[in-house]
Amino acid sequence: MKHTLATFLGILTIWFISSCNSNQATEKDTKSYKAVVADSVVFKTLPEVELLDYNKRSKELMLLDRQSNEVVIINQQGEEISRFNPHIEGPNYAGDRTFGWTFFGEDMVVGYGHFYFHLMTKQGERIKRIPYPVRNKQWATLDYYPKMIFSSTAGQEEIIVLIPGVENINTRSQAYQDTVKMVYKVNLNSEEGTPVMHKTPDGLYRSLGAHTDQGFPSMIAIEKGKVAQIYPSDDKIYMWDTEQDELVTKLEIPEPHKPVFDQIPFDKKGTPDHLKVNSKIYHTKNQIVLVSLDKVPESAIDQLSKTVPRWWESEELEQLKKRYFKVNLLLFSEEGFLGEVNTDGLGEYVFYNGESTNEDFFWVQRTYSDERDYRTFLKVAIVED
């Protein structure tokens, strides 16, 4: 039950941010935008799949087959290029589970294991494994489905990774928020790791003085070593230069879209409610896209789990989702907030299951209310309405 609840809460989550640090946009400055389907890729498969990464160079998509636990690579014609299972013991074994994969160059992939990063060919043959830059002492339930590994834009040899739970310290404490380093850039040639993008002193988690969530960031590389970073309850997008480990700018979220959450003292038990959170962030050639979520409060889910058998598939849960749950896309440039995005033209889609491109679109996965023997991935472009 605890695992089901954690998974549900992790997937039910998203919100996005914006404006400009020096020239904050107002509502009258914004325009209307809409999301349109520029193209799509259909992959014939019955099992559910998760979109892991997109390779701009080879125009390939990397998927995880949730039934077999295999990594699958397809092209934009929906043809399978390769398939391998890194979770079967043998010379290419990456552990009983992994925490994400990213393309590396044109013909390699990197997997995130329990104790090592695994550099492999696209056919799943191990090239080498790279130890973590820090000793991992515990694993924590992540906030809101962040992407944990991606290739850096600064150089072909670097990846950027989120390593949660690296210190044997109480996560519900000010010391944890002030001192723990969670994000590293790792050089796959030298195998050295450097901490980057630490929480700023004036950020929410270091200034709130209470607990609201663990504060794991969601990030995406943009270009030339620049990374856009958000936190679940913070009201800013942070733009970092990872080469110099310098904060470039902060984009403030407009007032109607700021996160809405409760807080409790560090020394008290309980889970605060979150009504709006920041979760997924995408990037196209010239746009930053935040997926914004109005979510079901944690207290409502907790109460439902105590009173309704098989609550996760109950009508009561559906009523809660209809009451609270809403997904919005918010559009930014690197200077500030541009406006809200109408998504009516997309149909149903998995808001957390998508990938950035640094091209004129980003990817999301379409969902269906009935069972299909294929999966559809949409190239989504944002245009003025």
Side-chain angles (χ1 to χ4, degrees), residues 6-20:
T7 301
F8 178 81
L9 292 177
I11 290 178
L12 272 189
T13 323
I14 294 183
W15 160 261
F16 193 38
I17 16 185
S18 169
S19 198
C20 181

Side-chain angles (χ1 to χ4, degrees), residues 331-379:
L331 186 66
F332 296 78
S333 69
E334 292 188 31
E335 284 70 47
F337 181 60
L338 298 177
E340 297 184 47
V341 180
N342 185 321
T343 61
D344 293 345
L346 298 185
E348 294 185 63
Y349 66 100
V350 181
F351 53 85
Y352 67 88
N353 195 0
E355 284 300 323
S356 298
T357 65
N358 287 334
E359 297 180 342
D360 291 327
F361 60 89
F362 62 98
W363 292 97
V364 296
Q365 183 173 350
R366 173 165 283 168
T367 59
Y368 301 97
S369 57
D370 57 344
E371 187 174 278
R372 308 287 177 102
D373 61 354
Y374 59 88
R375 307 296 159 190
T376 305
F377 302 94
L378 307 177
K379 282 184 176 180

Side-chain angles (χ1 to χ4, degrees), residues 122-184:
K122 288 196 297 187
Q123 289 70 41
E125 299 170 346
R126 184 195 307 282
I127 298 173
K128 69 174 180 176
R129 64 182 188 179
I130 299 94
Y132 282 178
V134 290
R135 183 177 178 183
N136 184 53
K137 295 186 178 181
Q138 62 178 347
W139 279 101
T141 301
L142 296 179
D143 298 324
Y144 311 126
Y145 212 81
K147 186 176 179 68
M148 294 179 64
I149 180 172
F150 52 90
S151 294
S152 170
T153 55
Q156 294 302 308
E157 71 281 359
E158 286 184 357
I159 58 174
I160 294 177
V161 294
L162 168 63
I163 305 178
V166 298
E167 299 287 344
N168 189 17
I169 185 174
N170 180 10
T171 59
R172 296 179 67 150
S173 68
Q174 192 63 57
Y176 177 80
Q177 297 297 344
D178 288 344
T179 64
V180 170
K181 296 176 175 60
M182 302 179 186
V183 184
Y184 289 78

Side-chain angles (χ1 to χ4, degrees), residues 78-127:
E79 301 167 333
E80 188 173 301
I81 302 301
S82 68
R83 177 186 290 263
F84 63 91
N85 195 331
H87 309 109
I88 296 177
E89 291 193 17
N92 303 313
Y93 181 59
D96 57 354
R97 66 165 296 189
T98 49
F99 304 94
W101 290 79
T102 184
F103 283 108
F104 192 72
E106 291 190 17
D107 54 1
M108 292 179 289
V109 295
V110 183
Y112 190 147
H114 274 287
F115 304 104
Y116 298 92
F117 302 109
H118 302 268
L119 180 63
M120 295 184 171
T121 68
K122 288 196 297 187
Q123 289 70 41
E125 299 170 346
R126 184 195 307 282
I127 298 173

